[in-house]
Amino acid sequence: MKYFFALLLCVTTLNLFAQVTQKRDEKLIQDVQERYSVLADSPSIRHGFYQAIYRKKTVIASGRYERGKRVGMWHYYSKTGQLLQNYDYDKHAIVYSSPVDTMRSVRYIIDDEIKPNDAIAPPIKPGSVYFGYMPYVKLIQMPAGLEEFDYTTLVATVELLVSPGGRLADFKIRITRPGGFININKVADMPLDAIEPEDKIFLPASKNGQNVGMTIIVTCRFDSRGRVLF
């Protein structure tokens, strides 16, 4: 029996050692900081409580990681602190979604004919319309050769094609200059490998109750220094 307890103590000690974490505080995008922990013996693996904070005062996302995966209930908020969505990662289900879970900078395009009485539901991203799109927005970079332009006149769009099954099928970043004398239209096809597996999953769009593919367009601008504003 004493050997059993000795073995149990050893296993428990090893398990506790494996759970030792280190805190991180990093910029996610302009105006948004991440606060989270990683495993001490695996610094690339997030583990424990997570927060994303807008301008150092407003929490826009909170939840827990378990060895690199989001688990349990996560809460997502707008930049003003209004609750937008509660998402249960254990059940892969939206528990709550605010009726104002929309942003003017996010729009949807369906590659199909729409009749006046059709019921259309856009794809839904776990994380809502603000925090949910940051994994793609943070990959926007100012292309070379545009240094002579006023950055505030440029527009960046993230274009996400979501399949009828709710999977990210294509990802593009486009830089344009609307209304300018010199036309700018630079497009980069982004590798899907640059996206974490959990950020390739959506609740699919539907038309009259049937799943359909749809493109999500997320529009961002730049400040005078070429930093992305979202």
Side-chain angles (χ1 to χ4, degrees):
M1 181 64 71
K2 65 179 181 180
Y3 295 110
F4 170 79
F5 285 115
L7 178 59
L8 180 61
L9 178 61
C10 181
V11 170
T12 302
T13 302
L14 289 174
N15 185 60
L16 289 174
F17 179 77
Q19 304 301 313
V20 174
T21 60
Q22 297 175 344
K23 292 184 178 181
R24 295 283 189 271
D25 192 337
E26 299 174 349
K27 183 171 78 171
L28 177 58
I29 64 171
Q30 185 67 20
D31 292 331
V32 177
Q33 290 289 124
E34 292 183 296
R35 292 177 182 172
Y36 60 94
S37 297
V38 298
L39 292 174
D41 58 351
S42 301
S44 64
I45 298 178
R46 298 184 180 192
H47 187 80
F49 186 61
Y50 173 94
Q51 281 188 323
I53 303 172
Y54 177 72
R55 292 189 174 178
K56 300 182 179 180
K57 62 180 182 179
T58 304
V59 174
I60 58 171
S62 65
R64 291 190 63 83
Y65 277 93
E66 184 73 33
R67 292 190 166 273
K69 293 183 178 181
R70 294 175 188 171
V71 296
M73 192 73 68
W74 279 58
H75 311 284
Y76 300 104
Y77 305 84
S78 70
K79 290 187 285 187
T80 59
Q82 182 174 2
L83 178 64
L84 296 179
Q85 185 187 97
N86 290 334
Y87 190 86
D88 189 331
Y89 281 90
D90 294 339
K91 298 179 180 179
H92 301 290
I94 291 177
V95 176
Y96 171 78
S97 183
S98 168
V100 295
D101 190 1
T102 58
M103 286 182 64
R104 287 180 295 176
S105 59
V106 179
R107 58 191 177 93
Y108 309 92
I109 299 174
I110 183 171
D111 188 18
D112 197 0
E113 180 184 2
I114 300 178
K115 298 178 182 179
N117 294 327
D118 285 338
I120 307 296
I124 298 177
K125 177 70 176 68
S128 86
V129 292
Y130 186 50
F131 181 82
Y133 293 116
M134 288 184 188
Y136 322 105
V137 170
K138 72 178 184 179
L139 298 178
I140 296 174
Q141 294 185 351
M142 185 67 68
L146 300 182
E147 294 82 4
E148 63 182 282
F149 295 98
D150 177 358
Y151 291 142
T152 63
T153 65
L154 303 178
V155 173
T157 55
V158 170
E159 302 175 10
L160 305 169
L161 174 60
V162 180
S163 74
R167 300 288 299 182
L168 182 62
D170 191 42
F171 173 23
K172 291 182 172 64
I173 291 177
R174 187 184 303 270
I175 309 295
T176 59
R177 186 169 182 256
F181 292 107
I182 300 177
N183 183 52
I184 295 175
N185 187 8
K186 294 182 176 288
V187 183
D189 289 302
M190 305 299 292
L192 295 184
D193 290 344
I195 300 298
E196 296 294 330
E198 63 189 9
D199 291 316
K200 299 176 185 178
I201 300 173
F202 295 73
L203 276 67
S206 65
K207 174 184 174 182
N208 299 325
Q210 299 295 316
N211 290 357
V212 295
M214 191 174 287
T215 299
I216 304 170
I217 308 294
V218 182
T219 302
C220 304
R221 304 197 71 94
F222 297 95
D223 66 11
S224 60
R225 297 170 60 183
R227 297 176 299 188
V228 179
L229 302 176
F230 175 49

